[in-house]
């Protein structure tokens, strides 16, 4: 059964097993490799994408549920908040191994998209589901605050 | 991996690593001293003064980094050393992973090409500076020739070569072609450290930061080859078990599955894509031969190890008469400490891509010791090692996991291709494979006893450690443990910073089929905890302050321990553990040549410590990139803290691993990360490691604070094991 959806602004038809998680469709079939596999059970956040304007764990999202959906991945996020987040990430040297950072950046950008001036508690809440094994968390917090300041200016 | 490991591997006499696909000035600099440096103008017109540097006509300077980038900052630190001596502008620097070559790209701490033991920066410190200085001299020489002036009048700053008297100036890119034709200098002077403009500066932007913030960084999992099959291997559920027989009919009937083949490590499913390969795992019907398997529970193993730690064992260090000291003590204290098996749980699971062709093979993976892995791969494939190419990819964490001296993963990857024949294959472990697949931090038991005199001074200290050897059975064994003692099993428990009259450290080597491996800071993960919490207890039993008590015990030849301890006490305004809902605890530990002291502040949140703040003082010699040092301290603290609180690998009766994914082996999350303040001791000593030394002190610092808060000292980690 072919599923029609929009990925990063392009119309895409996915003719795959409807149970296939979006993660593997993005990576293996569309070759959008910025979105990462970490756990496969929505426990780490490395696979986070935007689905119809909300963050979503693509590793547990079957392609069969996505007819007509709009998906955005790390390769294409380009809101003002996303750009501010990515600039702050680079400036503050957030990434270490970098494997989780696509998910972190997507989640942080989604937070600032709707809440440009989050409190520390709101940052903690929004980011709690994105694991970083290198524990770059202090810099993630700092970068989100810096991006927030940029947006405000 | 450990810096003392220096196996004598015969280097392959290949120069294949030189000048691969490069262009401008390319230089290979350890060779400078031997006057054998090669320089070349490459196909694209780059200047390649040596095997470490390429300067392109577009003015970029690319450093070929001989260490894998696993997050520790190799791709920033090594280019920075080059840029310093080259007087390059940081914005023109690029990093690229060096190809495999055990001679040109040797880790001088090991004698092979390899990354580990927190040696990446320290073993590169002089080599990469020499590479940069030689390239600079060649650029200056080329400029002098072009302008008809003396080289002495030429200056270089931020990537621009200038001659003030004649008013000439040029970029590196302008001079690249001409520089490639100048002789490689035999001897080059390095900068006086007081003239450093980049080393020690705050701050440079990581060269991999942008790619890793935009999803563009290429990890092994991101490699795709034409007609590539994805392979998933079902491994035995118990350590030491093997495949007896299997029925693949159901799996083979699944769409997308192309083949099922038996490997020495399990049963491999070959499929068109990852989903099909993973999905078919449940379709396999496999009978396992468990005759050689470990079927005991970890509780039973702990019981065995504890008995061994309480019995006499191989003596690793002895001073004074500890038996007499303990017998004559006014008081003695004792404790058994239990540390679980730990998975590294790097976020990118074990993976590799192999392409087997008629004329050889090519691999894309994150292999930390290519010199050891390559003969295993070539042997498994039955090919000439010279026809094997290894591409080192960005790697989604390692913490020791990718530094496997028995090369079990690389062998499995090679078997995947060997069994199937020419073609391209991506071997990808599931998270569950990774978590249950062994190569754990060894389960360890410490038995400690200390004697105190009437004044509360420590008179004797006895520490017996029972665990498996990481080194035994690997190619490192003959060099590292010639007398049967694995130093990595007990490192950090001997040659302590403290002085007391009698001391004995012993090791009981335990054996079972659970594979063990170095895990960020190796033996220090348990020795720092056991010694620093036990010392705290001894100091308290003697009525002493835990910071002043440590300072009083420090040996006179350990000034660097003293400096970090004094610094951290100052940072935290230490005046004892404090009162009220938040208490502080301290720990001091040297590892991988670096000295780290930490003070943690904790509160009780639902029966577990919540760490609010950590102060960290580190002496790692010259801090080449202070921001990377800080990042590694922060990360080392977070990594150690999550483990201390939550993580253990346990086996149930029967031998099945009980943790399979991040739901039951949980990572520290952002809200649990403390505020961290790092202070770096100014030093002119040679640089030492930072990837690992931040980890050992955090667990004892937290527990020393927790004991101050609750009166209870956790003798068994993680905390969750005590509370449930």
């Amino acid at each position: 059964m072919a599923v029609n959806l929009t990925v990063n602004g392009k119309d895409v038809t996915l003719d795959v097993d409807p149970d296939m998680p979006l993660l593997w469709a993005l990576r293996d079939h569309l070759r959008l490799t910025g979105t990462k596999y970490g756990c496969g059970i929505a426990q780490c956040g490395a696979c986070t994408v935007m689905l119809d304007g909300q963050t979503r764990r693509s590793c547990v999202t079957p392609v069969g549920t996505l007819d007509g959906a709009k998906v955005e991945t790390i390769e294409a996020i380009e809101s003002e908040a996303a750009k501010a987040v990515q600039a702050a990430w680079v400036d503050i040297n957030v990434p270490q191994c970098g494997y989780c950072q696509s998910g972190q950046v997507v989640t942080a950008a989604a937070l600032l998209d709707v809440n440009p001036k989050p409190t520390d508690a709101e940052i903690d809440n929004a980011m709690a589901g994105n694991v970083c094994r290198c524990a770059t968390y202090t810099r993630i917090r700092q970068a989100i605050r810096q991006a927030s300041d940029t947006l405000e200016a | 991996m450990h810096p003392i490991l220096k196996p004598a591997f015969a280097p392959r006499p290949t120069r294949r690593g030189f000048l691969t696909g490069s262009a401008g000035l390319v230089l290979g600099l350890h060779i400078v001293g031997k006057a054998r440096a090669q320089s070349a103008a490459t196909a694209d017109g780059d200047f390649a003064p040596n095997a470490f540097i390429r300067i392109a006509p577009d003015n970029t300077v690319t450093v070929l980094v001989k260490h894998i980038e696993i997050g520790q900052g190799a791709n920033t630190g090594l280019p920075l050393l080059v840029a310093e001596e080259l007087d390059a502008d940081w914005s023109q620097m690029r990093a690229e992973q060096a190809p495999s070559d055990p001679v040109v790209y040797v880790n001088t701490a090991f004698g092979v090409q390899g990354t580990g033991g927190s040696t990446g920066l320290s073993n590169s410190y002089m080599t990469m500076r020499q590479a940069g200085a030689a390239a600079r001299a060649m650029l200056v020489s080329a400029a002098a020739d072009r302008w008809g002036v003396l080289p002495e009048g030429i200056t270089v700053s931020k990537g621009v070569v200038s001659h003030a008297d004649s008013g000439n100036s040029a970029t590196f890119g302008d001079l690249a072609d001409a520089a490639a034709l100048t002789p490689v200098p035999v001897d080059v002077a390095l900068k006086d450290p007081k003239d450093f403009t980049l080393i020690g500066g705050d701050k440079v932007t990581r060269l991999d930061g942008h790619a890793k913030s935009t999803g563009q960084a290429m990890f092994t999992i991101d490699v795709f080859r034409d007609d590539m099959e994805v392979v998933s291997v079902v491994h035995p559920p118990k350590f030491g078990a093997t495949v007896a027989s299997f029925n693949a009919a159901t799996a083979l009937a699944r769409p997308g599955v192309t083949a099922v083949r038996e490997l020495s490590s399990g049963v491999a499913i070959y499929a068109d894509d990852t989903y099909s390969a993973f999905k078919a795992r449940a379709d396999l019907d496999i009978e396992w031969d468990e005759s050689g398997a470990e079927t005991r529970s970890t509780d039973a193993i702990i019981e065995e190890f504890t008995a061994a730690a309480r019995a006499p064992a191989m003596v690793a260090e002895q001073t004074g008469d500890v038996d007499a000291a303990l017998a004559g003590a006014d008081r003695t204290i004792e404790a058994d400490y239990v540390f679980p098996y730990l998975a590294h749980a790097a976020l990118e699971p074990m993976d590799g891509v192999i392409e087997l062709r008629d004329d050889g093979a090519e691999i894309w993976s994150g292999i930390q010791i290519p010199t050891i892995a390559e003969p295993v791969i070539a042997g498994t494939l039955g090919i000439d090692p010279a026809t094997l190419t290894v591409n080192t990819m960005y790697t989604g964490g390692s913490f020791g996991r990718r530094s496997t001296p028995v090369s079990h993963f690389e062998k499995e990857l090679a078997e995947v291709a060997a069994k199937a024949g020419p073609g391209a294959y991506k071997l990808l472990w599931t998270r569950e494979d990774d978590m249950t697949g062994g190569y754990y931090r060894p389960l360890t038991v410490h038995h400690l006893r200390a004697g105190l005199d009437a004044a509360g001074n420590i008179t004797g200290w006895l520490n017996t450690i029972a665990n498996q050897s990481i080194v035994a059975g690997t190619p490192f064994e003959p060099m590292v443990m010639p007398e049967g003692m694995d130093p990595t099993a007990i490192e950090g428990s001997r040659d302590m910073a403290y002085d007391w009259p009698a001391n004995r450290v012993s090791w009981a080597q335990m054996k079972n089929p659970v594979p063990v491996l170095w895990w960020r800071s190796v033996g220090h993960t348990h020795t720092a905890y056991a010694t620093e919490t036990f010392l705290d207890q001894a100091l308290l039993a003697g009525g002493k302050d835990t910071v002043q008590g440590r300072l009083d015990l420090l040996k006179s030849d350990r000034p660097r321990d003293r400096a970090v301890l004094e610094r951290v006490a100052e940072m935290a305004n230490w005046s004892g553990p404090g009162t009220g809902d938040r208490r502080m605890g301290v720990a001091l530990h040297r590892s991988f040549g670096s000295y780290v002291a930490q003070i943690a502040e904790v509160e009780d949140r639902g029966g577990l410590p919540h760490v609010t703040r950590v102060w960290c003082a580190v002496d790692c010699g010259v801090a080449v990139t202070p921001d990377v040092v800080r990042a590694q301290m922060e990360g080392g603290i977070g990594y150690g803290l999550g483990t201390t609180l939550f993580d253990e690998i346990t086996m149930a009766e029967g031998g099945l691993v009980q943790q399979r994914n991040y739901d039951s082996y949980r990572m520290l999350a952002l809200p649990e990360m403390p505020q961290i303040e790092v202070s770096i001791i100014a030093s002119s000593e040679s640089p030492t490691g930072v990837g690992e030394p931040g980890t050992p002190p955090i667990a004892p610092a937290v527990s020393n604070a927790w004991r101050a808060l609750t009166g209870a000292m956790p003798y068994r980690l993680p905390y969750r094991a005590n509370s449930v």
Side-chain angles (χ1 to χ4, degrees):
Chain A
M1 181 198 78
V3 172
N4 297 302
L5 66 164
T6 309
V7 177
N8 295 340
K10 288 182 195 147
D11 292 336
V12 167
T13 300
L14 285 171
D15 190 6
V16 298
D17 185 329
D19 290 337
M20 180 184 290
L22 173 62
L23 169 68
W24 297 117
L26 289 171
R27 293 184 51 83
D28 286 355
H29 294 269
L30 302 177
R31 299 288 165 88
L32 292 167
T33 56
T35 306
K36 294 294 191 276
Y37 166 69
C39 67
I41 57 168
Q43 290 288 311
C44 77
C47 69
T48 306
V49 298
M50 297 304 291
L51 174 62
D52 295 329
Q54 306 278 328
T55 57
R56 177 66 76 96
R57 302 289 187 251
S58 63
C59 75
V60 292
T61 304
V63 166
T65 65
L66 296 176
D67 204 45
K70 186 175 163 234
V71 174
E72 261 193 333
T73 69
I74 182 71
E75 285 88 352
I77 56 165
E78 53 186 11
S79 67
E80 215 184 318
K83 285 178 189 160
V85 163
Q86 286 172 321
W89 243 244
V90 173
D91 185 51
I92 288 172
N93 287 332
V94 172
Q96 289 186 24
C97 89
Y99 193 79
C100 73
Q101 297 296 346
S102 295
Q104 306 280 1
V105 165
V106 167
T107 306
L111 167 67
L112 296 185
D113 274 333
V114 297
N115 180 2
K117 199 159 170 46
T119 62
D120 288 352
E122 286 167 337
I123 293 173
D124 277 18
N125 264 336
M127 305 305 296
N130 285 79
V131 163
C132 174
R133 187 58 167 150
C134 303
T136 62
Y137 298 126
T138 56
R139 288 169 191 245
I140 289 175
R141 279 183 182 135
Q142 195 187 339
I144 293 174
R145 287 190 205 109
Q146 179 168 315
S148 167
D149 292 345
T150 318
L151 290 172
E152 214 179 32
Chain B
M1 209 166 79
H2 202 268
I4 64 157
L5 307 178
K6 290 187 186 177
F9 289 92
R12 271 190 290 131
T14 170
R15 280 287 174 277
R16 174 163 57 80
F18 267 81
L19 315 176
T20 36
S22 48
L25 174 63
V26 182
L27 230 83
L29 245 284
H30 71 292
I31 299 182
V32 161
K34 298 176 184 163
R36 287 198 288 123
Q38 300 189 5
S39 173
T42 64
D44 303 334
D46 293 358
F47 169 44
N50 54 50
F52 296 112
I53 302 174
R54 284 200 317 260
I55 299 176
D58 70 359
N59 207 32
T60 56
V61 178
T62 300
V63 172
L64 285 95
V65 178
K66 66 184 177 143
H67 292 289
I68 187 173
E69 173 62 69
I70 46 182
Q72 84 283 34
N75 281 19
T76 301
L78 270 60
L80 187 109
L81 295 171
V82 169
E84 177 68 65
E85 296 289 347
L86 187 57
D87 283 311
D89 191 74
W90 186 243
S91 65
Q92 72 189 131
M93 300 303 294
R94 305 285 182 270
E96 188 177 302
Q97 238 63 50
S100 167
D101 190 309
V103 178
V104 178
Y105 299 118
V106 67
N107 180 336
T108 58
F110 300 160
V112 298
Q113 187 177 7
T115 302
S118 295
T119 59
L121 203 288
S122 58
N123 96 93
S124 305
Y125 186 59
M126 297 307 287
T127 317
M128 300 309 290
R129 288 174 61 199
Q130 285 161 355
R136 182 188 189 279
M138 294 166 78
L139 290 162
V140 167
S141 173
D145 287 350
R146 181 176 292 178
W147 300 328
V149 301
L150 290 172
E152 288 73 23
I154 291 176
T155 56
V156 185
S157 176
K158 292 184 185 277
V160 178
V161 183
S162 312
H163 187 257
D165 291 351
S166 63
N168 283 305
S169 74
T171 66
F172 293 170
D174 295 337
L175 294 165
D177 284 347
L181 302 175
T182 66
V184 176
V186 175
D187 200 13
V188 286
L190 299 182
K191 280 184 181 175
D192 186 317
K194 72 175 168 45
D195 298 325
F196 286 161
T197 57
L198 287 168
I199 292 176
D202 243 347
K203 65 180 192 175
V204 294
T205 305
R206 284 182 69 116
L207 293 184
D208 54 357
H210 183 265
K212 289 176 174 179
S213 301
T214 53
Q216 303 305 311
M218 288 291 287
F219 295 82
T220 299
I221 198 172
D222 304 328
V223 173
F224 286 85
R225 306 291 299 169
D226 288 345
D227 300 319
M228 184 182 79
E229 291 181 86
V230 178
V231 178
S232 184
V233 178
V234 179
H235 299 105
K238 298 179 185 180
F239 297 113
T242 54
V243 178
S245 64
F246 66 96
N247 182 339
T250 312
L252 285 167
R254 179 175 287 282
V257 173
T258 55
V260 175
R261 296 183 175 93
E262 184 175 344
L263 310 180
S264 62
S265 58
V267 181
I269 298 158
Y270 295 66
D272 293 337
D273 62 14
T274 312
Y275 174 74
S276 305
F278 282 8
K279 189 84 179 168
R281 293 167 63 97
D283 300 333
L284 279 181
D285 185 10
I286 308 173
E287 290 286 329
W288 304 102
D289 175 355
E290 296 185 355
S291 55
E294 175 61 85
T295 55
R296 292 178 298 166
S297 67
T298 35
D299 282 345
I301 293 172
I302 288 167
E303 210 171 301
E304 181 203 6
F305 284 24
T306 304
R310 286 176 179 167
M314 186 189 296
V315 175
E317 182 184 69
Q318 185 154 234
T319 52
D321 186 342
V322 73
D323 299 312
L326 291 172
D330 183 65
R331 277 170 294 165
T332 58
I333 58 171
E334 78 176 79
D336 291 326
Y337 285 87
V338 177
F339 302 89
Y341 288 119
L342 292 172
H344 304 74
L347 213 53
E348 181 179 14
M350 298 300 284
D351 54 3
V353 173
I354 185 166
E355 192 165 275
L356 181 62
R357 300 185 286 256
D358 293 335
D359 62 348
E362 187 163 0
I363 281 183
W364 295 259
S365 191
I367 298 172
Q368 257 178 264
I369 326 176
T371 310
I372 290 180
E374 285 173 13
V376 173
I377 295 165
T380 304
L381 292 170
I383 64 170
D384 177 353
T387 64
L388 173 66
T389 304
V390 171
N391 304 285
T392 300
M393 306 303 295
Y394 279 130
T395 297
S398 171
F399 316 109
R401 185 64 183 88
R402 299 271 182 162
S403 170
T404 319
V406 296
S407 306
H408 70 95
F409 182 81
E410 293 84 353
K411 183 168 188 287
E412 184 173 273
L413 179 62
E415 269 191 47
V416 161
K419 296 266 176 165
Y425 311 92
K426 178 188 286 180
L427 172 61
L428 176 61
W429 280 20
T430 62
R431 172 55 50 200
E432 291 79 5
D433 290 333
D434 202 273
M435 190 76 75
T436 61
Y439 297 92
Y440 300 134
R441 193 284 301 271
L443 189 153
T444 301
V445 174
H446 281 240
H447 176 68
L448 277 140
R449 290 179 69 197
L452 307 178
D453 65 17
N457 298 308
I458 297 169
T459 56
W461 175 281
L462 183 149
N463 186 2
T464 308
I465 299 164
N467 60 15
Q468 294 162 252
S469 169
I470 296 169
V471 173
T474 75
F476 290 117
E477 180 174 354
M479 285 301 288
V480 176
M481 44 189 299
E483 277 142 43
M485 161 67 64
D486 181 350
T488 73
I490 59 161
E491 58 186 353
S493 67
R494 56 180 174 177
D495 195 18
M496 288 175 67
Y498 310 111
D499 208 7
W500 37 70
N503 180 54
R504 183 165 70 230
V505 177
S506 314
W507 179 51
Q509 182 181 359
M510 311 307 292
K511 293 179 179 173
N512 70 44
V514 182
V516 293
L517 187 58
W518 9 76
W519 184 102
R520 197 175 195 168
S521 80
V522 197
H524 302 281
T525 57
H526 50 88
T527 60
Y529 188 84
T531 59
E532 283 292 290
T533 60
F534 196 65
L535 174 61
D536 234 54
Q537 313 255 63
L539 291 170
L540 291 166
K544 299 176 193 304
D545 175 78
T546 55
V547 168
Q548 190 57 47
R550 279 176 171 81
L551 290 170
D552 292 344
L553 282 173
L554 282 175
K555 292 171 180 163
S556 57
D557 63 350
R558 301 291 290 258
R560 298 172 77 181
D561 299 76
R562 180 174 299 277
V564 291
L565 185 53
E566 286 176 343
R567 173 73 61 87
V568 82
E570 191 182 301
M571 292 165 73
N573 285 317
W574 176 270
S575 60
T579 55
D581 293 341
R582 289 183 179 181
R583 304 292 175 93
M584 292 196 282
V586 66
L588 166 67
H589 197 77
R590 176 181 69 173
S591 61
F592 308 95
S594 294
Y595 302 76
V596 181
Q598 292 171 8
I599 289 177
E601 178 191 70
V602 310
E603 58 186 34
D604 186 341
R605 203 171 278 185
L608 284 178
H610 176 75
V611 182
T612 47
R613 286 187 289 181
V614 175
W615 295 268
C616 172
V618 53
D619 176 352
C620 57
V622 173
V624 172
T625 45
D627 200 53
V628 171
V629 175
R630 279 193 292 275
Q632 287 305 303
M633 292 300 119
E634 293 161 6
I637 288 166
Y639 189 83
L641 178 58
T643 304
T644 304
L645 297 179
F646 307 123
D647 295 337
E648 61 179 335
I649 293 289
T650 57
M651 282 140 46
E653 184 57 43
L656 287 178
V657 173
Q658 293 175 294
Q659 294 74 26
R660 301 183 58 77
N661 206 316
Y662 291 138
D663 51 350
S664 48
Y665 191 91
R666 121 153 167 57
M667 309 291 96
L668 193 79
L670 184 140
E672 294 153 346
M673 187 73 176
Q675 286 180 39
I676 297 172
E677 191 185 320
V678 177
S679 177
I680 302 169
I681 304 281
S683 173
S684 55
E685 300 283 337
S686 294
T688 47
V690 296
E692 294 168 275
T695 297
I698 187 61
V702 167
S703 285
N704 288 337
W706 184 248
R707 186 216 33 79
L709 183 65
T710 66
M713 170 56 68
Y715 291 107
R716 180 172 177 175
L717 293 181
Y719 275 72
R720 206 164 60 173
N722 296 299
S723 63
V724 295

